Amino acid sequence: QVQLQESGPGLVNPSQTLSLTCTFSGGSISSADYYWSWVRQHPEKGLEWLGYISYSGSTHYNPSLKSRVTISADTSKNQFSLMLRSVTAADTAMYYCAIGGSGTKIDSWGQGTLVTVSS
Amino acid sequence: DVVMTQSPLSLPVTLGQSASISCRSSQSLVYSDGNSYLNWFQQRPGQAPRRLIYKASNRDSGVPDRFSGSGSGTDFTLKISRVEAEDVGVYYCMQGTHWPPITFGQGTRLEIK
């Protein structure tokens, strides 16, 4: 059974870089035809897709964050990561990692990790 | 980007009654392979979202058959028959046909009257 687990600091200073890791179990991160996404949810708000890294290593980001976000993968550890630079209070949110096939895009979610941007 | 519009945004329902949520997309979600890549997710209070329906009408494993999805093109519906207390939460539609980016509806909050 697929399981995803986010990890990383729960508190980040303004202007710094938010870094989160998602560890995948129940399969291989290198499996063909899968996409590994990050999604965030501001408090009491809806869902915002941040970007993905594919099984082939290609990436694509939400244009609203494109210049600040990087998603990478470490296949040896079955992990993929999110970096969001120059954060502000507006980046305070629950961050989820998710996996999906090439058609369905999001099939399963991690439990999420709350990140607060504050000094 | 494809805009997903859900209605209603708030849905009070009596236990045992049916509930219906509409999701409309700003473009047809029919992909070149004939599928509509429209997912429905349920987010219970304090939990991560979980997928209920994929490709508009396919129920995920373990999802009660009280949940059903329908629609094509730009109009989609999630129906919950015989609403139970455990169905309380926020429901989101999501399109994956015209991506990136993936886009979500605003969410519909289901509550028990």
CSV table of all heavy atoms in Angstrom, one decimal, chain A residues 35 37 39 41 44-49 52 60-63 96 101-112, chain B residues 1 37 39 41 43 46-51 54-55 60 92 94-97 99-106 109:
chain,number,residue,atom,x,y,z
A,35,TYR,N,3.6,10.8,-11.3
A,35,TYR,CA,4.0,12.2,-11.1
A,35,TYR,C,3.9,12.5,-9.6
A,35,TYR,O,2.9,12.0,-8.9
A,35,TYR,CB,3.0,13.1,-11.8
A,35,TYR,CG,3.2,13.0,-13.3
A,35,TYR,CD1,2.7,12.0,-14.1
A,35,TYR,CD2,3.9,14.0,-14.0
A,35,TYR,CE1,2.9,11.9,-15.4
A,35,TYR,CE2,4.2,13.9,-15.4
A,35,TYR,CZ,3.6,12.8,-16.1
A,35,TYR,OH,3.9,12.7,-17.4
A,37,SER,N,3.7,15.3,-6.7
A,37,SER,CA,3.3,16.7,-6.6
A,37,SER,C,3.4,17.2,-5.2
A,37,SER,O,3.4,16.4,-4.2
A,37,SER,CB,1.9,16.9,-7.1
A,37,SER,OG,1.7,16.7,-8.5
A,39,VAL,N,1.2,20.1,-2.9
A,39,VAL,CA,0.0,20.9,-2.8
A,39,VAL,C,0.0,21.5,-1.5
A,39,VAL,O,0.4,20.9,-0.5
A,39,VAL,CB,-1.3,20.0,-3.0
A,39,VAL,CG1,-2.5,20.8,-2.9
A,39,VAL,CG2,-1.2,19.2,-4.3
A,41,GLN,N,-2.3,24.1,1.4
A,41,GLN,CA,-3.6,24.6,1.8
A,41,GLN,C,-3.5,25.6,2.9
A,41,GLN,O,-3.1,25.3,4.0
A,41,GLN,CB,-4.5,23.4,2.3
A,41,GLN,CG,-5.9,23.7,2.6
A,41,GLN,CD,-6.7,22.5,2.9
A,41,GLN,OE1,-6.2,21.5,3.5
A,41,GLN,NE2,-8.0,22.5,2.5
A,44,GLU,N,-7.9,27.2,6.6
A,44,GLU,CA,-9.3,27.4,6.3
A,44,GLU,C,-9.6,27.8,4.8
A,44,GLU,O,-10.6,28.4,4.5
A,44,GLU,CB,-10.0,28.4,7.2
A,44,GLU,CG,-9.9,28.0,8.7
A,44,GLU,CD,-10.4,26.7,9.0
A,44,GLU,OE1,-11.5,26.4,8.5
A,44,GLU,OE2,-9.8,25.9,9.8
A,45,LYS,N,-8.7,27.4,3.9
A,45,LYS,CA,-8.8,27.8,2.5
A,45,LYS,C,-8.8,26.5,1.7
A,45,LYS,O,-8.7,25.4,2.2
A,45,LYS,CB,-7.7,28.7,2.1
A,45,LYS,CG,-7.7,30.0,2.8
A,45,LYS,CD,-9.0,30.8,2.5
A,45,LYS,CE,-8.9,32.2,3.1
A,45,LYS,NZ,-10.1,33.0,2.9
A,46,GLY,N,-8.8,26.7,0.3
A,46,GLY,CA,-8.8,25.6,-0.6
A,46,GLY,C,-7.4,25.1,-0.9
A,46,GLY,O,-6.4,25.4,-0.3
A,47,LEU,N,-7.3,24.2,-1.9
A,47,LEU,CA,-6.1,23.5,-2.3
A,47,LEU,C,-5.4,24.2,-3.5
A,47,LEU,O,-6.0,24.6,-4.4
A,47,LEU,CB,-6.4,22.1,-2.7
A,47,LEU,CG,-7.1,21.3,-1.6
A,47,LEU,CD1,-7.7,20.0,-2.1
A,47,LEU,CD2,-6.1,20.9,-0.5
A,48,GLU,N,-4.1,24.3,-3.4
A,48,GLU,CA,-3.3,25.0,-4.4
A,48,GLU,C,-2.1,24.1,-4.8
A,48,GLU,O,-1.3,23.7,-4.0
A,48,GLU,CB,-2.7,26.3,-3.9
A,48,GLU,CG,-1.8,27.0,-4.9
A,48,GLU,CD,-1.2,28.3,-4.3
A,48,GLU,OE1,-1.0,28.4,-3.1
A,48,GLU,OE2,-0.8,29.2,-5.1
A,49,TRP,N,-2.1,23.7,-6.1
A,49,TRP,CA,-1.1,22.8,-6.6
A,49,TRP,C,0.2,23.6,-6.8
A,49,TRP,O,0.1,24.7,-7.5
A,49,TRP,CB,-1.5,22.2,-7.9
A,49,TRP,CG,-0.5,21.3,-8.6
A,49,TRP,CD1,-0.2,20.0,-8.2
A,49,TRP,CD2,0.2,21.6,-9.7
A,49,TRP,NE1,0.8,19.5,-9.1
A,49,TRP,CE2,1.0,20.5,-10.0
A,49,TRP,CE3,0.4,22.8,-10.5
A,49,TRP,CZ2,1.9,20.5,-11.1
A,49,TRP,CZ3,1.2,22.8,-11.6
A,49,TRP,CH2,2.0,21.6,-11.9
A,52,TYR,N,5.2,19.6,-9.8
A,52,TYR,CA,5.4,18.2,-9.8
A,52,TYR,C,6.8,17.9,-10.3
A,52,TYR,O,7.5,18.7,-11.0
A,52,TYR,CB,4.4,17.4,-10.7
A,52,TYR,CG,4.6,17.5,-12.2
A,52,TYR,CD1,5.6,16.9,-12.8
A,52,TYR,CD2,3.7,18.2,-12.9
A,52,TYR,CE1,5.8,17.0,-14.2
A,52,TYR,CE2,3.8,18.3,-14.3
A,52,TYR,CZ,4.9,17.7,-15.0
A,52,TYR,OH,5.0,17.8,-16.3
A,60,HIS,N,7.5,20.7,-13.4
A,60,HIS,CA,6.7,21.8,-13.9
A,60,HIS,C,6.1,22.5,-12.6
A,60,HIS,O,5.7,21.8,-11.7
A,60,HIS,CB,5.6,21.4,-14.8
A,60,HIS,CG,5.1,22.6,-15.6
A,60,HIS,ND1,5.5,22.8,-16.9
A,60,HIS,CD2,4.3,23.6,-15.3
A,60,HIS,CE1,4.9,23.9,-17.4
A,60,HIS,NE2,4.1,24.4,-16.4
A,61,TYR,N,6.1,23.8,-12.6
A,61,TYR,CA,5.6,24.5,-11.4
A,61,TYR,C,4.4,25.4,-11.8
A,61,TYR,O,4.2,25.9,-12.9
A,61,TYR,CB,6.8,25.4,-10.9
A,61,TYR,CG,8.0,24.6,-10.7
A,61,TYR,CD1,9.2,24.9,-11.3
A,61,TYR,CD2,8.0,23.5,-9.8
A,61,TYR,CE1,10.4,24.1,-11.1
A,61,TYR,CE2,9.2,22.8,-9.6
A,61,TYR,CZ,10.4,23.1,-10.2
A,61,TYR,OH,11.5,22.3,-10.0
A,62,ASN,N,3.7,25.7,-10.7
A,62,ASN,CA,2.6,26.6,-10.8
A,62,ASN,C,3.1,28.0,-11.2
A,62,ASN,O,4.0,28.5,-10.5
A,62,ASN,CB,1.8,26.7,-9.5
A,62,ASN,CG,0.5,27.4,-9.7
A,62,ASN,OD1,0.4,28.5,-10.3
A,62,ASN,ND2,-0.6,26.8,-9.1
A,63,PRO,N,2.7,28.6,-12.2
A,63,PRO,CA,3.2,29.9,-12.6
A,63,PRO,C,3.2,31.0,-11.5
A,63,PRO,O,4.0,31.9,-11.4
A,63,PRO,CB,2.3,30.4,-13.8
A,63,PRO,CG,1.8,29.1,-14.3
A,63,PRO,CD,1.6,28.2,-13.2
A,96,TYR,N,1.2,19.4,1.5
A,96,TYR,CA,1.0,18.0,1.3
A,96,TYR,C,1.8,17.5,0.1
A,96,TYR,O,1.9,18.2,-0.9
A,96,TYR,CB,-0.5,17.7,0.9
A,96,TYR,CG,-1.5,18.0,1.9
A,96,TYR,CD1,-2.2,19.2,1.9
A,96,TYR,CD2,-1.8,17.1,2.9
A,96,TYR,CE1,-3.2,19.5,2.9
A,96,TYR,CE2,-2.8,17.3,3.9
A,96,TYR,CZ,-3.5,18.5,3.9
A,96,TYR,OH,-4.4,18.8,4.8
A,101,GLY,N,-1.0,9.0,-11.2
A,101,GLY,CA,-0.6,8.5,-12.6
A,101,GLY,C,-0.7,9.6,-13.6
A,101,GLY,O,-1.2,10.7,-13.3
A,102,SER,N,-0.3,9.3,-14.8
A,102,SER,CA,-0.2,10.3,-15.8
A,102,SER,C,-1.6,10.8,-16.2
A,102,SER,O,-1.7,11.9,-16.7
A,102,SER,CB,0.5,9.7,-17.1
A,102,SER,OG,-0.2,8.6,-17.5
A,103,GLY,N,-2.6,10.0,-16.0
A,103,GLY,CA,-4.0,10.5,-16.3
A,103,GLY,C,-4.6,11.2,-15.1
A,103,GLY,O,-5.1,12.3,-15.2
A,104,THR,N,-4.7,10.5,-14.0
A,104,THR,CA,-5.4,10.9,-12.9
A,104,THR,C,-4.7,12.0,-12.1
A,104,THR,O,-5.3,12.7,-11.3
A,104,THR,CB,-5.7,9.7,-11.9
A,104,THR,OG1,-4.5,9.0,-11.7
A,104,THR,CG2,-6.7,8.8,-12.6
A,105,LYS,N,-3.4,12.1,-12.2
A,105,LYS,CA,-2.5,13.1,-11.6
A,105,LYS,C,-2.4,13.1,-10.1
A,105,LYS,O,-1.3,13.2,-9.6
A,105,LYS,CB,-3.1,14.5,-12.0
A,105,LYS,CG,-3.2,14.8,-13.4
A,105,LYS,CD,-2.0,14.5,-14.2
A,105,LYS,CE,-2.1,14.8,-15.7
A,105,LYS,NZ,-3.2,14.1,-16.4
A,106,ILE,N,-3.5,12.9,-9.3
A,106,ILE,CA,-3.3,12.8,-7.9
A,106,ILE,C,-4.2,11.6,-7.4
A,106,ILE,O,-5.4,11.7,-7.6
A,106,ILE,CB,-3.7,14.1,-7.1
A,106,ILE,CG1,-2.7,15.2,-7.4
A,106,ILE,CG2,-3.8,13.8,-5.6
A,106,ILE,CD1,-3.0,16.5,-6.6
A,107,ASP,N,-3.6,10.6,-6.9
A,107,ASP,CA,-4.2,9.4,-6.4
A,107,ASP,C,-4.2,9.3,-4.9
A,107,ASP,O,-5.2,8.9,-4.3
A,107,ASP,CB,-3.6,8.1,-7.0
A,107,ASP,CG,-3.6,8.1,-8.5
A,107,ASP,OD1,-4.3,8.9,-9.2
A,107,ASP,OD2,-2.8,7.3,-9.1
A,108,SER,N,-3.0,9.6,-4.3
A,108,SER,CA,-2.9,9.5,-2.9
A,108,SER,C,-2.1,10.7,-2.3
A,108,SER,O,-1.4,11.3,-3.0
A,108,SER,CB,-2.0,8.2,-2.6
A,108,SER,OG,-2.6,7.0,-3.0
A,109,TRP,N,-2.4,10.9,-1.1
A,109,TRP,CA,-1.8,12.1,-0.4
A,109,TRP,C,-1.0,11.7,0.9
A,109,TRP,O,-1.4,10.7,1.5
A,109,TRP,CB,-2.9,13.0,0.1
A,109,TRP,CG,-3.8,13.6,-0.9
A,109,TRP,CD1,-4.8,12.9,-1.6
A,109,TRP,CD2,-3.9,14.9,-1.4
A,109,TRP,NE1,-5.4,13.7,-2.5
A,109,TRP,CE2,-4.9,15.0,-2.3
A,109,TRP,CE3,-3.3,16.1,-1.0
A,109,TRP,CZ2,-5.3,16.2,-3.0
A,109,TRP,CZ3,-3.6,17.3,-1.6
A,109,TRP,CH2,-4.6,17.3,-2.6
A,110,GLY,N,-0.1,12.5,1.2
A,110,GLY,CA,0.5,12.4,2.6
A,110,GLY,C,-0.4,13.0,3.6
A,110,GLY,O,-1.4,13.6,3.2
A,111,GLN,N,-0.1,12.9,4.8
A,111,GLN,CA,-0.9,13.4,5.9
A,111,GLN,C,-0.8,14.9,6.0
A,111,GLN,O,-1.6,15.6,6.7
A,111,GLN,CB,-0.6,12.8,7.2
A,111,GLN,CG,0.7,13.0,7.8
A,111,GLN,CD,1.0,12.3,9.1
A,111,GLN,OE1,0.5,11.2,9.3
A,111,GLN,NE2,1.8,12.9,10.0
A,112,GLY,N,0.3,15.5,5.4
A,112,GLY,CA,0.4,16.9,5.5
A,112,GLY,C,1.3,17.4,6.6
A,112,GLY,O,1.4,16.7,7.7
B,1,ASP,N,-5.4,28.9,-17.6
B,1,ASP,CA,-5.6,27.8,-16.7
B,1,ASP,C,-7.1,27.5,-16.6
B,1,ASP,O,-8.0,28.4,-16.8
B,1,ASP,CB,-5.2,28.2,-15.3
B,1,ASP,CG,-3.7,28.5,-15.2
B,1,ASP,OD1,-3.0,28.3,-16.2
B,1,ASP,OD2,-3.3,28.9,-14.1
B,37,TYR,N,-10.5,13.7,-17.1
B,37,TYR,CA,-9.7,13.5,-15.9
B,37,TYR,C,-10.1,14.5,-14.8
B,37,TYR,O,-9.5,15.5,-14.5
B,37,TYR,CB,-8.2,13.7,-16.2
B,37,TYR,CG,-7.7,12.5,-17.1
B,37,TYR,CD1,-7.5,12.6,-18.4
B,37,TYR,CD2,-7.5,11.3,-16.5
B,37,TYR,CE1,-7.1,11.6,-19.2
B,37,TYR,CE2,-7.1,10.2,-17.2
B,37,TYR,CZ,-6.9,10.3,-18.6
B,37,TYR,OH,-6.5,9.2,-19.3
B,39,ASN,N,-11.3,14.4,-10.8
B,39,ASN,CA,-11.3,13.7,-9.6
B,39,ASN,C,-12.2,14.4,-8.6
B,39,ASN,O,-12.3,15.6,-8.6
B,39,ASN,CB,-9.9,13.7,-9.0
B,39,ASN,CG,-8.9,12.8,-9.8
B,39,ASN,OD1,-9.3,12.0,-10.5
B,39,ASN,ND2,-7.6,13.1,-9.6
B,41,PHE,N,-12.4,14.7,-4.3
B,41,PHE,CA,-11.8,14.4,-3.1
B,41,PHE,C,-12.7,14.8,-1.9
B,41,PHE,O,-13.4,15.7,-2.0
B,41,PHE,CB,-10.5,15.2,-2.9
B,41,PHE,CG,-9.4,14.9,-4.0
B,41,PHE,CD1,-9.3,15.6,-5.1
B,41,PHE,CD2,-8.6,13.8,-3.8
B,41,PHE,CE1,-8.4,15.3,-6.1
B,41,PHE,CE2,-7.6,13.5,-4.8
B,41,PHE,CZ,-7.6,14.2,-5.9
B,43,GLN,N,-12.3,15.8,2.2
B,43,GLN,CA,-11.4,16.2,3.3
B,43,GLN,C,-12.2,16.3,4.6
B,43,GLN,O,-12.9,17.3,4.8
B,43,GLN,CB,-10.7,17.5,3.0
B,43,GLN,CG,-9.6,17.8,4.0
B,43,GLN,CD,-8.8,19.0,3.6
B,43,GLN,OE1,-9.3,20.0,3.0
B,43,GLN,NE2,-7.5,19.0,4.0
B,46,GLY,N,-9.6,18.1,10.0
B,46,GLY,CA,-8.3,17.7,10.5
B,46,GLY,C,-7.6,16.6,9.8
B,46,GLY,O,-6.5,16.2,10.2
B,47,GLN,N,-8.1,16.2,8.6
B,47,GLN,CA,-7.4,15.2,7.8
B,47,GLN,C,-7.0,15.7,6.5
B,47,GLN,O,-7.4,16.7,6.0
B,47,GLN,CB,-8.4,14.0,7.6
B,47,GLN,CG,-8.8,13.3,8.9
B,47,GLN,CD,-9.6,12.0,8.7
B,47,GLN,OE1,-9.7,11.5,7.6
B,47,GLN,NE2,-10.2,11.5,9.7
B,48,ALA,N,-6.1,14.9,5.9
B,48,ALA,CA,-5.7,15.1,4.5
B,48,ALA,C,-6.8,14.8,3.5
B,48,ALA,O,-7.7,13.9,3.9
B,48,ALA,CB,-4.5,14.3,4.2
B,49,PRO,N,-6.8,15.3,2.4
B,49,PRO,CA,-7.8,14.9,1.4
B,49,PRO,C,-7.6,13.4,1.0
B,49,PRO,O,-6.5,12.9,1.1
B,49,PRO,CB,-7.5,15.8,0.2
B,49,PRO,CG,-6.8,17.0,0.7
B,49,PRO,CD,-6.0,16.4,1.8
B,50,ARG,N,-8.7,12.8,0.6
B,50,ARG,CA,-8.6,11.4,0.0
B,50,ARG,C,-9.5,11.4,-1.2
B,50,ARG,O,-10.5,12.0,-1.3
B,50,ARG,CB,-9.0,10.3,1.0
B,50,ARG,CG,-10.5,10.2,1.3
B,50,ARG,CD,-10.8,8.8,1.7
B,50,ARG,NE,-12.3,8.7,2.1
B,50,ARG,CZ,-13.0,7.6,2.1
B,50,ARG,NH1,-12.4,6.5,1.8
B,50,ARG,NH2,-14.2,7.6,2.5
B,51,ARG,N,-9.0,10.7,-2.2
B,51,ARG,CA,-9.8,10.6,-3.4
B,51,ARG,C,-10.9,9.6,-3.3
B,51,ARG,O,-10.8,8.5,-2.8
B,51,ARG,CB,-8.9,10.2,-4.6
B,51,ARG,CG,-9.5,10.5,-6.0
B,51,ARG,CD,-8.6,10.1,-7.1
B,51,ARG,NE,-8.4,8.7,-7.1
B,51,ARG,CZ,-7.5,8.1,-8.0
B,51,ARG,NH1,-6.8,8.8,-8.8
B,51,ARG,NH2,-7.4,6.8,-8.0
B,54,TYR,N,-12.4,9.0,-9.5
B,54,TYR,CA,-11.4,9.4,-10.6
B,54,TYR,C,-12.0,9.2,-11.9
B,54,TYR,O,-13.0,8.4,-12.1
B,54,TYR,CB,-10.1,8.6,-10.4
B,54,TYR,CG,-10.2,7.1,-10.6
B,54,TYR,CD1,-9.9,6.5,-11.8
B,54,TYR,CD2,-10.6,6.3,-9.5
B,54,TYR,CE1,-10.0,5.2,-12.0
B,54,TYR,CE2,-10.7,4.9,-9.7
B,54,TYR,CZ,-10.4,4.4,-10.9
B,54,TYR,OH,-10.5,3.0,-11.1
B,55,LYS,N,-11.5,9.9,-12.9
B,55,LYS,CA,-12.1,9.9,-14.3
B,55,LYS,C,-13.6,10.0,-14.3
B,55,LYS,O,-14.3,9.3,-14.9
B,55,LYS,CB,-11.6,8.6,-15.0
B,55,LYS,CG,-10.1,8.7,-15.4
B,55,LYS,CD,-9.7,7.6,-16.4
B,55,LYS,CE,-9.7,6.2,-15.8
B,55,LYS,NZ,-9.2,5.2,-16.8
B,60,ASP,N,-13.1,4.9,-6.1
B,60,ASP,CA,-11.9,4.3,-5.6
B,60,ASP,C,-12.2,3.1,-4.6
B,60,ASP,O,-13.3,3.1,-4.1
B,60,ASP,CB,-11.1,5.4,-4.8
B,60,ASP,CG,-10.1,6.1,-5.7
B,60,ASP,OD1,-9.0,5.6,-6.0
B,60,ASP,OD2,-10.5,7.3,-6.1
B,92,TYR,N,-13.9,18.5,-2.8
B,92,TYR,CA,-13.2,19.3,-3.9
B,92,TYR,C,-13.2,18.5,-5.2
B,92,TYR,O,-13.0,17.2,-5.2
B,92,TYR,CB,-11.7,19.5,-3.6
B,92,TYR,CG,-11.5,20.4,-2.4
B,92,TYR,CD1,-11.3,19.8,-1.1
B,92,TYR,CD2,-11.4,21.8,-2.5
B,92,TYR,CE1,-11.0,20.6,0.0
B,92,TYR,CE2,-11.2,22.6,-1.4
B,92,TYR,CZ,-11.0,22.0,-0.2
B,92,TYR,OH,-10.7,22.8,0.9
B,94,MET,N,-11.3,18.3,-9.0
B,94,MET,CA,-9.9,18.6,-9.5
B,94,MET,C,-9.8,18.2,-10.9
B,94,MET,O,-10.3,17.0,-11.2
B,94,MET,CB,-8.9,17.9,-8.6
B,94,MET,CG,-7.4,18.2,-9.0
B,94,MET,SD,-6.4,16.7,-8.9
B,94,MET,CE,-6.5,16.1,-10.5
B,95,GLN,N,-9.3,19.0,-11.8
B,95,GLN,CA,-9.1,18.6,-13.2
B,95,GLN,C,-7.6,18.3,-13.4
B,95,GLN,O,-6.7,19.1,-13.0
B,95,GLN,CB,-9.7,19.6,-14.1
B,95,GLN,CG,-8.9,20.9,-14.3
B,95,GLN,CD,-7.7,20.8,-15.2
B,95,GLN,OE1,-7.7,20.0,-16.1
B,95,GLN,NE2,-6.7,21.7,-15.0
B,96,GLY,N,-7.4,17.3,-14.2
B,96,GLY,CA,-6.0,16.9,-14.6
B,96,GLY,C,-5.9,16.8,-16.1
B,96,GLY,O,-4.9,16.3,-16.6
B,97,THR,N,-6.9,17.2,-16.8
B,97,THR,CA,-6.8,17.1,-18.3
B,97,THR,C,-5.9,18.1,-18.9
B,97,THR,O,-5.0,17.8,-19.7
B,97,THR,CB,-8.3,17.2,-18.9
B,97,THR,OG1,-9.1,16.2,-18.4
B,97,THR,CG2,-8.2,17.3,-20.4
B,99,TRP,N,-3.2,20.2,-18.1
B,99,TRP,CA,-2.2,20.5,-17.1
B,99,TRP,C,-0.9,20.6,-17.7
B,99,TRP,O,-0.7,20.1,-18.8
B,99,TRP,CB,-2.2,19.5,-16.0
B,99,TRP,CG,-1.4,18.3,-16.3
B,99,TRP,CD1,-1.4,17.5,-17.4
B,99,TRP,CD2,-0.5,17.6,-15.4
B,99,TRP,NE1,-0.6,16.4,-17.3
B,99,TRP,CE2,0.0,16.5,-16.0
B,99,TRP,CE3,-0.2,17.9,-14.0
B,99,TRP,CZ2,0.9,15.6,-15.4
B,99,TRP,CZ3,0.8,17.0,-13.4
B,99,TRP,CH2,1.3,15.9,-14.1
B,100,PRO,N,0.1,21.1,-17.1
B,100,PRO,CA,0.0,21.9,-15.8
B,100,PRO,C,-0.7,23.3,-16.1
B,100,PRO,O,-0.6,23.8,-17.2
B,100,PRO,CB,1.4,22.0,-15.3
B,100,PRO,CG,2.3,21.9,-16.5
B,100,PRO,CD,1.5,21.0,-17.5
B,101,PRO,N,-1.3,23.9,-15.1
B,101,PRO,CA,-1.3,23.4,-13.7
B,101,PRO,C,-2.6,22.5,-13.5
B,101,PRO,O,-3.6,22.7,-14.2
B,101,PRO,CB,-1.4,24.6,-12.9
B,101,PRO,CG,-2.2,25.6,-13.7
B,101,PRO,CD,-1.8,25.3,-15.2
B,102,ILE,N,-2.5,21.6,-12.5
B,102,ILE,CA,-3.7,21.0,-11.9
B,102,ILE,C,-4.5,22.1,-11.2
B,102,ILE,O,-3.9,23.0,-10.6
B,102,ILE,CB,-3.3,20.0,-10.9
B,102,ILE,CG1,-2.6,18.8,-11.5
B,102,ILE,CG2,-4.5,19.5,-10.0
B,102,ILE,CD1,-1.9,17.8,-10.5
B,103,THR,N,-5.8,22.1,-11.4
B,103,THR,CA,-6.6,23.1,-10.7
B,103,THR,C,-7.8,22.4,-9.9
B,103,THR,O,-8.3,21.4,-10.4
B,103,THR,CB,-7.2,24.1,-11.7
B,103,THR,OG1,-7.8,23.5,-12.8
B,103,THR,CG2,-6.1,25.0,-12.2
B,104,PHE,N,-8.1,23.0,-8.8
B,104,PHE,CA,-9.2,22.5,-7.9
B,104,PHE,C,-10.3,23.5,-7.9
B,104,PHE,O,-10.2,24.7,-8.1
B,104,PHE,CB,-8.6,22.4,-6.5
B,104,PHE,CG,-7.5,21.4,-6.3
B,104,PHE,CD1,-6.2,21.8,-6.5
B,104,PHE,CD2,-7.8,20.1,-5.9
B,104,PHE,CE1,-5.2,20.9,-6.3
B,104,PHE,CE2,-6.8,19.2,-5.8
B,104,PHE,CZ,-5.5,19.6,-5.9
B,105,GLY,N,-11.5,22.9,-7.5
B,105,GLY,CA,-12.6,23.8,-7.2
B,105,GLY,C,-12.4,24.4,-5.8
B,105,GLY,O,-11.5,24.0,-5.1
B,106,GLN,N,-13.3,25.3,-5.5
B,106,GLN,CA,-13.2,26.1,-4.2
B,106,GLN,C,-13.5,25.2,-3.0
B,106,GLN,O,-13.1,25.6,-1.9
B,106,GLN,CB,-14.1,27.3,-4.2
B,106,GLN,CG,-14.2,28.1,-5.5
B,106,GLN,CD,-15.4,27.7,-6.3
B,106,GLN,OE1,-15.5,26.5,-6.7
B,106,GLN,NE2,-16.3,28.6,-6.6
B,109,ARG,N,-18.6,22.6,1.5
B,109,ARG,CA,-18.6,22.2,2.9
B,109,ARG,C,-19.9,21.5,3.2
B,109,ARG,O,-21.0,22.1,3.1
B,109,ARG,CB,-18.4,23.3,3.9
B,109,ARG,CG,-18.2,22.9,5.3
B,109,ARG,CD,-17.9,24.1,6.2
B,109,ARG,NE,-16.6,24.7,5.8
B,109,ARG,CZ,-15.4,24.3,6.2
B,109,ARG,NH1,-15.3,23.3,7.0
B,109,ARG,NH2,-14.3,25.0,5.8
